[in-house]
Amino acid sequence: MFDIYRGPVFDMARKQFSQAADVLEIPQDERDRLLYPKRAVAVTCPIHRDDGSTVVFEGYRVQHHLTLGPTKGGVRFAKTVDIGEVAALSLWMSWKCSLMNLPYGGAKGGIRVDPYTLSPRELEALSRRYMQELIPFVGPHTDVMAPDIGTNEQVMAWFMDTYSNDAGCTVTEIVTGKPVSCGGTQGRREATGKGVTHLISRAAEEIKLNLNGATAVIQGFGNVGSVVATELHERGTKVLAISDHTAAYHDPKGLDIPAIIKYVEKHGVLKGYSSEILTDPKKILTIKCDIAVPAAIERTVDEHIAKELQCKILAEAANGPTTIEADAVLAARPDKIFIIPDILCNSGGVTVSYFEWVQDLQQFFWEEEEIINRLKKLMDKAFYRVIALAKERGISNRLAATCCGLERVHQAKKARGLFP
Ligand code: NAD
């Protein structure tokens, strides 16, 4: 059924869904309605290159369900984007929003492009064209976009401007993750990384680990990974190793994170920072440390890496970093690693996006302190709910988190019913 989504990433999301549906004893005939996206749109996005030639990119937007409110989810610009990956990410967004008790279904979008090869003008043209093509399918009460891999505040500003030009008035609530100067919220850019670090500190309390003096490794040094590095560094944790798609560095004495942040602000990537501490990017996550943070792309923790992990906490900042096979290996390991599953770990981003949407709808803006306090409160509530369910049912934190998310969507669909 629904062959268009077939592929390793959707397969993984489907298997995770089935495991949770089994725990919740959801009848077989109700499962497809919960699993398959309500709507998937494919668009072609032609733009002029700087040299005057024309090029066409493929784009997608998948809206998983609209049962609890509008759909919500990021837009990714990456070479690997395909409709199966986008659909899987929309499912994970659904369980995440539901777990956090937000009034949203999940969505995700993407363009198959290497954004690093585009000039600023080409990037703007592509961003505007993507939103233009999707105007009939999105809206502040239908589907609200946000940044993800390869997109940022500027791209959101172009999305918002394109939508607003069509509407004939400024519609700030059409996207989140915008610059504060045009309706964005305080704290959104750092929200995902700060949320990840907050839950690392909760997990550390659970296993009685002091973050001051602990050690960490981080894969991915974009929006999320760089904020986690900064936050951990500020708490006295030694960041031993980091990587991005251009380079990987390892220093057993601990890396100078503020200096690396400055370098990346100037150069965009890690490459060129140092030639002395270069290391093998494939080995980053398996370096002996207290906290390992995959903060790049899906499926970087496979069964081989899972066997070799030497951390006490695996904080899944990225979406879908751990494969089903790796999960089985981790479950069988005698030295239990405390896993903070992705839909819980990185939920700070969508939670502050929700705060941004609420502020935009009301045109009433909050202080950063209020945002961070509310964020921590919601994340704590979800964290303790997940670990309590995991203990009660004897299941993994991932399965417990998926169950919490799925259950609410299932109940809401049942209550709303189907047309006779
Ligand atoms: P980003 O584009 O800002 O950064 C991605 C980083 O990953 C870059 O440093 C890139 O070089 C690196 N990378 C890509 N491929 C890699 C590889 N094979 N090995 C090592 N590094 C690699 O994206 P981001 O917003 O930081 O997102 C990172 C992850 O967090 C993604 O999985 C995303 O879906 C997830 N996430 C992001 C947010 C958010 O608010 N931005 C929210 C929730 C989840």
Side-chain angles (χ1 to χ4, degrees):
M1 192 176 176
F2 286 99
D3 233 20
I4 54 166
Y5 303 123
R6 180 170 290 170
V9 192
F10 191 77
D11 230 41
M12 184 175 145
R14 190 173 47 74
K15 283 183 186 145
Q16 289 169 349
F17 164 83
S18 297
Q19 290 169 351
D22 287 346
V23 172
L24 296 173
E25 296 177 1
I26 295 175
Q28 288 296 338
D29 66 317
E30 291 172 27
R31 293 190 183 191
D32 283 354
R33 186 180 173 216
L34 282 160
L35 171 65
Y36 289 106
K38 180 176 186 66
R39 197 178 285 147
V41 184
V43 291
T44 39
C45 303
I47 62 159
H48 286 305
R49 284 268 193 213
D50 287 347
D51 66 6
S53 63
T54 302
V55 61
V56 173
F57 296 96
E58 64 187 71
Y60 301 103
R61 185 74 182 164
V62 177
Q63 298 165 349
H64 180 231
H65 77 83
L66 284 141
T67 307
L68 297 168
T71 51
K72 184 88 193 73
V75 178
R76 165 174 297 197
F77 288 0
K79 283 187 287 199
T80 50
V81 163
D82 64 42
I83 195 162
E85 177 189 80
V86 175
L89 288 159
S90 79
L91 257 71
W92 290 325
M93 277 305 291
S94 281
W95 317 143
K96 188 187 306 181
C97 292
S98 168
L99 167 65
M100 296 307 289
N101 231 350
L102 308 180
Y104 296 136
K108 206 78 182 187
I111 301 182
R112 185 188 268 269
V113 59
D114 180 353
Y116 299 99
T117 62
L118 299 175
S119 71
R121 193 204 61 79
E122 291 168 342
L123 182 65
E124 176 173 357
L126 186 58
S127 304
R128 288 187 181 279
R129 174 54 87 142
Y130 176 75
M131 173 51 96
Q132 181 68 44
E133 295 300 334
L134 285 168
I135 284 175
F137 307 99
V138 299
H141 296 283
T142 317
D143 183 11
V144 180
M145 297 179 185
D148 192 71
I149 294 176
T151 56
N152 55 20
E153 289 187 349
Q154 178 59 71
V155 172
M156 294 307 115
W158 289 326
F159 282 175
M160 190 272 273
D161 184 68
T162 304
Y163 187 89
S164 297
N165 274 300
D166 183 80
C169 59
T170 296
V171 188
T172 52
E173 59 272 29
I174 183 62
V175 296
T176 59
K178 304 174 290 293
V180 174
S181 62
C182 53
T185 185
Q186 300 290 339
R188 173 59 185 90
R189 205 187 67 77
E190 306 84 8
T192 309
K194 283 195 172 174
V196 169
T197 317
H198 179 64
L199 290 192
I200 289 174
S201 71
R202 291 297 186 225
E205 284 165 17
E206 290 297 309
I207 63 163
K208 308 210 174 358
L209 170 76
N210 189 348
L211 284 190
N212 190 355
T215 53
V217 299
I218 302 172
Q219 179 189 56
F221 207 74
N223 176 330
V224 181
S226 65
V227 173
V228 175
T230 303
E231 291 279 312
L232 285 176
H233 181 77
E234 283 171 2
R235 283 168 170 77
T237 302
K238 262 203 272 183
V239 180
L240 304 180
I242 54 170
S243 69
D244 72 358
H245 70 288
T246 65
Y249 300 119
H250 178 201
D251 184 347
K253 294 194 292 299
L255 294 161
D256 183 349
I257 296 300
I260 297 173
I261 296 277
K262 265 199 197 130
Y263 181 87
V264 171
E265 269 167 13
K266 194 159 168 215
H267 300 275
V269 290
L270 288 174
K271 192 174 173 185
Y273 169 71
S274 164
S275 54
E276 282 132 43
I277 50 171
L278 276 170
T279 192
D280 179 357
K282 291 195 203 84
K283 299 259 163 77
I284 281 284
L285 291 173
T286 57
I287 291 168
K288 190 170 168 48
C289 63
D290 296 310
I291 306 147
V293 187
I297 50 170
E298 302 90 51
R299 300 169 60 76
T300 57
V301 181
D302 60 16
E303 65 267 44
H304 308 293
I305 302 279
K307 261 185 221 142
E308 288 173 27
L309 285 176
Q310 300 188 69
C311 57
K312 297 179 183 136
I313 296 172
L314 180 68
E316 295 183 345
N319 284 309
T322 306
T323 65
I324 296 276
E325 298 75 21
D327 260 340
V329 171
L330 291 169
R333 277 177 64 141
D335 59 334
K336 291 284 176 249
I337 295 174
F338 191 107
I339 298 170
I340 315 174
D342 54 357
I343 61 168
L344 174 63
C345 192
N346 66 36
S347 61
V350 71
T351 304
V352 176
S353 274
Y354 164 62
F355 298 158
E356 180 175 337
W357 181 70
V358 167
Q359 292 171 80
D360 283 339
L361 287 172
Q362 299 180 347
Q363 289 296 301
F364 178 70
F365 293 90
W366 314 344
E367 302 283 332
E368 181 159 6
E369 196 188 342
E370 183 174 0
I371 286 160
I372 298 298
N373 288 341
R374 281 179 186 263
L375 170 67
K376 287 183 179 169
K377 227 171 161 175
L378 288 184
M379 292 195 84
D380 280 345
K381 213 168 150 184
F383 178 81
Y384 291 115
R385 206 170 133 218
V386 166
I387 60 170
L389 182 68
K391 275 188 198 139
E392 184 194 316
R393 304 290 297 258
I395 56 180
S396 68
N397 288 349
R398 180 183 325 288
L399 191 47
T402 311
C403 285
C404 291
L406 175 58
E407 186 169 29
R408 178 166 166 238
V409 180
H410 182 223
Q411 294 306 331
K413 278 203 187 282
K414 261 174 82 168
R416 289 187 60 165
L418 273 176
F419 289 118

